[in-house]
Amino acid sequence: MPRFPKPPEGSWTEHYPELGTGPVSYEDSISPEFYQREREAIFKRAWLNVGRVEQLPRVGSYFTKDIHAAHASIIVVRDREGRVRAFHNLCRHRGNKLVWNNDPRLETQGVCRQFTCKYHGWRYDLDGSLTFIQQEGEFFDVDKSRYGLAPVHCDVWAGFIFVNFAREPEQSLREFLGPMVTALEGYPFEKQTSRFGYSTTIRSNWKLYMDAFAEFYHAPVLHANQSPEKYSTAARQAGFEAPHYQIDGPHRLVSTAGVRFWEMDADMVKPMEIITRSGLFGPWEKIDLGPMPPGVNPGRCNPWGLDSFQLFPNFVILIWSQGWYLTYHYWPTSYNTHIF
């Protein structure tokens, strides 16, 4: 007989009955007016993850990020003191987009000693200060100290770089993240040396995708072809409920049970998985990353599959039991499109 792990039990409403069980309106996902309010109330006030410190390996390393929902393009750079800074990607002279390569509509990255505007040649140091004005005498005793790049609030947690567009953030980054997320401190994100990424434009509201990852009701159906047929059939019959749910402030977490495919009967494992010794949950040989912080697998699931940390408003960290992780971002570009 095939060996299956004990079906996990639980749902959001069982853990948080205050969420209610009635129908949920999706007006906020189809309304252009609601999206305009979101831009002001959320994306110009919340801490937003824009990258990781590995993207800035040395002094002068930089990357740009266009955030349509905040009406902004920013430069993120490592200055001469090694500090990570962020600035609006605009020259203070005529408002030209400052850093871009072949196409100003595309984000870019690189290393430089200073930033030079392609329009009139004004130059800015890595700390944002204005250092050179072409034909400075024509500007009638201009005070360069008043015209440095406009800063954006920037902070780093666990190697993740966040920015905040508020004039003064309502909370520090650490306060915003809260104890559920900061309990991940100590997870060796920096040891993940191979990095792969992609992006695509999705024709839907960004929240529909965020909410889709708050449940695993879809897993036995949508991911059926990624797991052995007999297991997928059994999972569809039994249903899928996660063993651990958690809400902390605006953030939420779902942990799922794992599946030890390599312990199953031979006819339960795909031939390719036997050859590669890997499957849906990653490599069979678990990478030794050392002791895990308390925030990982907080429900102490055994076997454990993954933790899906959904950080408000649009950032997801998925930590997998086999020693790797994924990040998802959902950047709205209109009420019914977003970049995934």
Side-chain angles (χ1 to χ4, degrees), residues 219-325:
V221 179
L222 186 62
H223 299 300
N225 292 332
Q226 294 176 273
S227 42
E229 183 177 353
K230 290 184 180 179
Y231 177 75
S232 299
T233 301
R236 283 197 297 271
Q237 292 172 349
F240 194 106
E241 293 179 322
H244 183 79
Y245 298 79
Q246 193 170 341
I247 295 175
D248 182 18
H251 316 298
R252 55 194 177 182
L253 160 68
V254 184
S255 293
T256 74
V259 178
R260 297 188 178 104
F261 287 131
W262 58 93
E263 295 181 356
M264 290 183 174
D265 294 337
D267 62 347
M268 291 291 292
V269 183
K270 295 180 179 180
M272 181 56 70
E273 294 175 334
I274 297 175
I275 295 172
T276 62
R277 297 191 63 78
S278 64
L280 176 61
F281 284 81
W284 290 359
E285 281 75 28
K286 183 177 180 179
I287 301 169
D288 184 9
L289 296 176
M292 291 291 99
V296 174
N297 186 17
R300 300 299 175 254
C301 309
N302 185 22
W304 167 55
L306 64 88
D307 292 337
S308 177
F309 287 85
Q310 299 184 308
L311 280 63
F312 182 84
N314 67 329
F315 180 42
V316 178
I317 304 174
L318 290 96
I319 297 179
W320 292 71
S321 59
Q322 292 304 102
W324 58 292
Y325 77 99

Side-chain angles (χ1 to χ4, degrees), residues 26 34 65 70 77 104 115 130 137-138 144 155 162 195 200 206 225 228 247 250 275 277 287 296:
Y26 56 88
F34 194 93
K65 183 69 182 175
V77 60
F115 301 111
L130 176 61
E138 299 295 325
K144 290 199 292 291
D155 202 353
F162 289 79
R195 181 172 181 264
T200 187
W206 65 283
N225 292 332
I247 295 175
I275 295 172
R277 297 191 63 78
I287 301 169
V296 174

